[in-house]
Amino acid sequence: MKARKIINLPLIFTLVVCLAACKKYGVEIADGYEDASGNKENVSIDTNMQNIDRSAYAKARIFPGLVDVSEPRVQNQEFILDLNFTNQTAENLRIQVAPEPQFSTGYYAAPGELIKIIVPAGVNGLSMQIGGHTDNLSGKSPLLRDPIIYAVKALYPGVNYMRNLYGGTIYINASFAIAQPVKFVISGAVVSPDFVLGTDTDAGWIAKVRASKVPWLELRTKRVIFLVPLDKVLAKIAAGQLSSPTALMTEWNNKFELDYNGWMGLSDNAVDERDRSPQGPWRGVLDIQLSLGYGHSGFPFVGLNDQYWFNSFTSLADLLNSEGMWGTYHEFGHNCQQPNVWSWSTLGETTNNLFNFKAAKRMNANYSNLHPSVTSGFPQAITYASTAGAKNFDGDADMNDPFKRMTPFVQIFEWYGYGAMTKLYTEARHAQRLSINDIDKHDFTYEKLSEYCGVDLSPFFEAWGILLSAQSQSKIAARFPLLNKQIWKYNPLTKTGGTENYVPTTSVVSVSSPAQEGSFAALIDNNLTTYYHSKYSSPTAAESYPFTFIFNAGAVIPIKGMYFNARNSTNRAGDGKDIEVFTSPDNLNYTSQGTATLPNSTARFEYLFPMGNVTAKYVKVIVKNGYSANPYVVFAEMNLIKP
């Protein structure tokens, strides 16, 4: 059977039109840089501005929305961008995410419509992005929108064309700084009714929004930009709740100027480049579906396009008292965390929230209104810290809660000043190396906060069960006096507590022989009528000479020596004779502080360390022998001499 040839006239017509609308320019450059070799790749580019690709209209109508045909498309419109920036990377700042060199143009591309943009000669390293909704939803099910609805294309000097089937806000991305302002010429886009702080008036912007048919717009300041939907903006304006975008965005700018960048110790004109503020703004967008959670950090930060997140961007009342803003501060706080230096592994959902308290402090807001879990968690955490005994901040079930773990940080801020956080961040940026484990991060935090507070905070860290290395404790103890207030009992919600004096208490860690008479505690009770008597009924070799006594000073502190009192008795059979004294910061590594011979009398004997005060936490005394052949030893007192 013969195959019949079928001529499809409509198809031929379509191909002819397409070919007529396409031109071999021969200058399309994949990476946005001119090829100095002169070898150009021939690429077909659609330059027919009337050709609209409507293949994704149905999806774009759902999200992010269509642009009404009545909205004017600009023709040969000039705009100028200052692309001279200092690129502060996350690595420089040692934070999770830093603002990227992305520049708003004030224009929006309608779905499927071709955008033409002319770049001046000699300007390289740029790209154009259409769409601010950059969350990749690949793998999500069910999908509320297509997984990827934004597009990026490298720009080259001369005429460039680009379209995005879903449309979106138009941005220019820069690879490096360009000294002089760059003048672009754009056609085919529509003007986005953005609010730009310092440029737009309240009344003028409201009029502009009411006249617009563009589905998304930006609220822009130097420090932060929010991409929000037009319909929600119009509803809020109609309700009289968005009458002063100037006041709203001024306060948002202050938040990032003072409570984020400033609190981290960043400023525009810092001498050290590591301490300079990010030159670009932080960005937040709302999306119909998220790749992760109800909101997540990143550039941009993303929140669900519902009323809560929209209000968190646009409610001036909430912003001025810091209530109802927890989620927004929380996600931007994630961007600013420093997990590679001091924010250790169990603080992933804790240190990001500290920015909430800084903002509330500046606004004089009530901390109890920030989040219900703050109100319940802080008192429970303070009870934990105030309870004696061995504790582990990172491992105990009682502290397995991010709100409880905020408590010690807020206690330090409230007691010594919020500059403590600035100290942490600045020192972290300047640290010679990154921390490799949680103990390193504990130590870094302990050392820098102690430096800021001017006291050795080891009792505070011990009360919270935050484990420290002996080396770090010894270093700080040699520089600063020991903390003398129980500030771990301070309640930031009520501004009460923490005023009780703290004096480190000596305890007996162990004695090599059990007490057959008296007790270990009798050694340090300052009472000569009580005593410790080792086992004398059939003691084993381990329960005889030499006897080992280990004492805990309660903190890494200066220790002057030891004093001894034999039992006040005419029977001198159990008196010790030759001793050696050792000190240690950690009960593991001991250093000998010399030997002595105790007197065979009831008089107090003091052994002062030959090298003067020794900074330590543990003291070990080995009693090598006694004045009689009996295998037991007796002491009324054996205790530390503190300066």
Side-chain angles (χ1 to χ4, degrees):
M1 183 176 182
K2 274 191 173 182
R4 289 182 293 177
K5 293 183 180 179
I6 301 176
I7 300 175
N8 192 326
L9 293 177
L11 176 60
I12 293 175
F13 178 78
T14 301
L15 290 172
V16 170
V17 170
C18 178
L19 293 172
C22 299
K23 182 177 180 181
K24 296 283 188 179
Y25 273 71
V27 291
E28 181 78 347
I29 300 166
D31 60 5
Y33 292 85
E34 293 177 282
D35 185 353
S37 69
N39 297 321
K40 306 296 183 181
E41 179 184 357
N42 289 325
V43 180
S44 297
I45 306 169
D46 185 355
T47 62
N48 184 354
M49 300 293 290
Q50 305 304 314
N51 184 20
I52 300 174
D53 187 338
R54 296 181 173 85
S55 60
Y57 256 34
K59 295 177 180 179
R61 184 188 303 277
I62 295 172
F63 192 86
L66 302 180
V67 177
D68 195 274
V69 293
S70 64
E71 192 71 35
R73 275 58 171 171
V74 300
Q75 297 299 321
N76 297 319
Q77 184 71 47
E78 294 182 351
F79 68 95
I80 297 174
L81 294 179
D82 181 0
L83 306 180
N84 190 19
F85 61 93
T86 300
N87 190 16
Q88 277 289 56
T89 64
E91 288 75 16
N92 272 357
L93 300 174
R94 290 186 170 167
I95 60 177
Q96 297 270 57
V97 177
E100 297 174 7
Q102 182 177 87
F103 299 86
S104 297
T105 64
Y107 293 98
Y108 192 96
E113 296 189 20
L114 196 62
I115 305 299
K116 172 184 174 183
I117 189 166
I118 302 174
V119 178
V123 176
N124 288 297
L126 303 180
S127 63
M128 183 163 71
Q129 176 177 319
I130 299 180
H133 300 96
T134 55
D135 238 5
N136 186 338
L137 304 185
S138 297
K140 300 288 287 188
S141 179
L143 281 170
L144 302 182
R145 66 162 173 83
D146 276 356
I148 299 175
I149 60 171
Y150 76 102
V152 180
K153 181 178 184 296
L155 298 177
Y156 58 89
V159 180
N160 301 262
Y161 295 91
M162 182 183 181
R163 78 173 82 240
N164 180 5
L165 297 181
Y166 308 91
T169 307
I170 298 175
Y171 305 96
I172 299 296
N173 301 327
S175 302
F176 51 80
I178 299 174
Q180 299 301 319
V182 178
K183 181 187 291 185
F184 299 87
V185 180
I186 192 168
S187 299
V190 297
V191 175
S192 176
D194 299 347
F195 176 83
V196 182
L197 184 64
T199 299
D200 290 298
T201 65
D202 292 343
W205 174 74
I206 290 173
K208 184 167 59 173
V209 168
R210 285 173 171 163
S212 180
K213 300 294 191 298
V214 178
W216 290 82
L217 60 93
E218 290 189 327
L219 304 173
R220 289 195 256 156
T221 75
K222 179 180 180 180
R223 299 299 184 195
V224 65
I225 296 176
F226 295 119
L227 182 61
V228 292
L230 178 74
D231 58 348
K232 283 186 169 63
V233 170
L234 287 171
K236 204 171 187 73
I237 290 173
Q241 298 172 349
L242 192 50
S243 58
S244 182
T246 298
L248 172 71
M249 298 313 292
T250 296
E251 183 52 36
W252 265 121
N253 202 69
N254 289 340
K255 284 286 187 290
F256 284 88
E257 186 84 31
L258 303 173
D259 303 329
Y260 282 84
N261 292 348
W263 200 31
M264 292 187 288
L266 303 173
S267 61
D268 286 345
N269 301 311
V271 175
D272 193 312
E273 187 173 301
R274 289 171 294 184
D275 298 327
R276 291 181 192 163
S277 299
Q279 299 300 294
W282 299 93
R283 292 181 179 271
V285 305
L286 302 179
D287 204 329
I288 194 173
Q289 189 174 10
L290 278 62
S291 60
L292 180 67
Y294 184 43
H296 67 75
S297 58
F299 186 83
F301 146 72
V302 186
L304 193 66
N305 186 26
D306 64 8
Q307 204 58 43
Y308 169 79
W309 284 111
F310 177 71
N311 284 340
S312 75
F313 287 0
T314 60
S315 173
L316 179 60
D318 287 344
L319 194 60
L320 290 177
N321 62 25
S322 292
E323 297 173 14
M325 309 304 291
W326 186 273
T328 308
Y329 295 161
H330 171 100
E331 299 301 350
F332 279 120
H334 272 309
N335 287 346
C336 296
Q337 284 176 298
Q338 291 184 316
N340 292 324
V341 187
W342 67 271
S343 183
W344 58 88
S345 63
T346 63
L347 300 180
E349 294 297 328
T350 293
T351 52
N352 59 312
N353 290 312
L354 298 179
F355 294 92
N356 288 271
F357 293 91
K358 172 58 172 64
K361 177 72 173 178
R362 184 172 61 83
M363 306 306 299
N364 198 30
N366 188 337
Y367 294 166
S368 296
N369 295 330
L370 292 178
H371 196 287
S373 293
V374 170
T375 308
S376 61
F378 274 31
Q380 294 171 18
I382 293 167
T383 298
Y384 170 87
S386 303
T387 303
K391 286 173 278 190
N392 188 323
F393 181 87
D394 299 320
D396 288 345
D398 287 347
M399 286 299 292
N400 188 19
D401 177 88
F403 295 91
K404 293 178 183 178
R405 288 179 177 148
M406 296 170 205
T407 314
F409 293 96
V410 181
Q411 285 177 329
I412 292 292
F413 300 155
E414 287 288 304
W415 196 270
Y416 289 103
Y418 275 71
M421 187 77 149
T422 309
K423 170 76 171 178
L424 274 178
Y425 268 84
T426 303
E427 292 285 351
R429 288 194 300 275
H430 291 256
Q432 292 185 348
R433 64 181 180 86
L434 302 179
S435 301
I436 60 174
N437 56 53
D438 277 358
I439 294 297
D440 282 349
K441 296 171 187 179
H442 291 183
D443 286 349
F444 184 92
T445 305
Y446 158 64
E447 291 177 20
K448 300 313 173 185
L449 290 181
S450 292
E451 290 173 5
Y452 177 83
C453 300
V455 296
D456 178 359
L457 290 171
S458 60
F460 179 80
F461 278 73
E462 185 168 356
W464 281 106
I466 302 173
L467 308 180
L468 303 172
S469 72
Q471 295 85 345
S472 183
Q473 291 183 71
S474 297
K475 179 167 63 174
I476 293 300
R479 296 177 58 195
F480 301 104
L482 193 68
L483 175 70
N484 61 8
K485 297 291 181 184
Q486 298 182 43
I487 62 173
W488 52 89
K489 296 182 178 180
Y490 172 75
N491 189 334
L493 305 179
T494 61
K495 316 295 185 188
T496 59
T499 58
E500 299 173 57
N501 290 333
Y502 169 73
V503 178
T505 303
T506 302
S507 60
V508 180
V509 176
S510 65
V511 180
S512 58
S513 175
Q516 187 151 357
E517 292 182 14
S519 66
F520 297 163
L523 293 167
I524 57 174
D525 65 358
N526 199 30
N527 183 349
L528 295 178
T529 66
T530 62
Y531 58 89
Y532 158 81
H533 197 306
S534 70
K535 188 175 181 182
Y536 55 79
S537 299
S538 302
T540 65
E543 295 167 341
S544 306
Y545 287 104
F547 291 94
T548 300
F549 299 79
I550 298 178
F551 300 84
N552 183 342
V556 177
I557 59 172
I559 302 172
K560 190 175 182 179
M562 293 286 296
Y563 71 87
F564 304 83
N565 285 98
R567 180 177 58 169
N568 189 8
S569 170
T570 56
N571 181 4
R572 315 252 43 89
D575 284 359
K577 184 180 179 182
D578 295 313
I579 65 168
E580 186 169 5
V581 183
F582 302 80
T583 59
S584 169
D586 56 8
N587 200 22
L588 296 173
N589 303 294
Y590 278 91
T591 301
S592 176
Q593 301 301 334
T595 61
T597 299
L598 303 177
N600 188 20
S601 72
T602 59
R604 172 175 166 133
F605 174 78
E606 293 188 354
Y607 176 70
L608 303 181
F609 298 149
M611 301 302 293
N613 294 344
V614 174
T615 300
K617 185 175 183 179
Y618 297 91
V619 176
K620 178 167 65 178
V621 178
I622 297 179
V623 182
K624 301 178 180 180
N625 50 47
Y627 277 97
S628 68
N630 293 307
Y632 53 80
V633 72
V634 183
F635 282 101
E637 291 290 310
M638 185 190 297
N639 207 340
L640 312 181
I641 301 174
K642 301 176 182 179

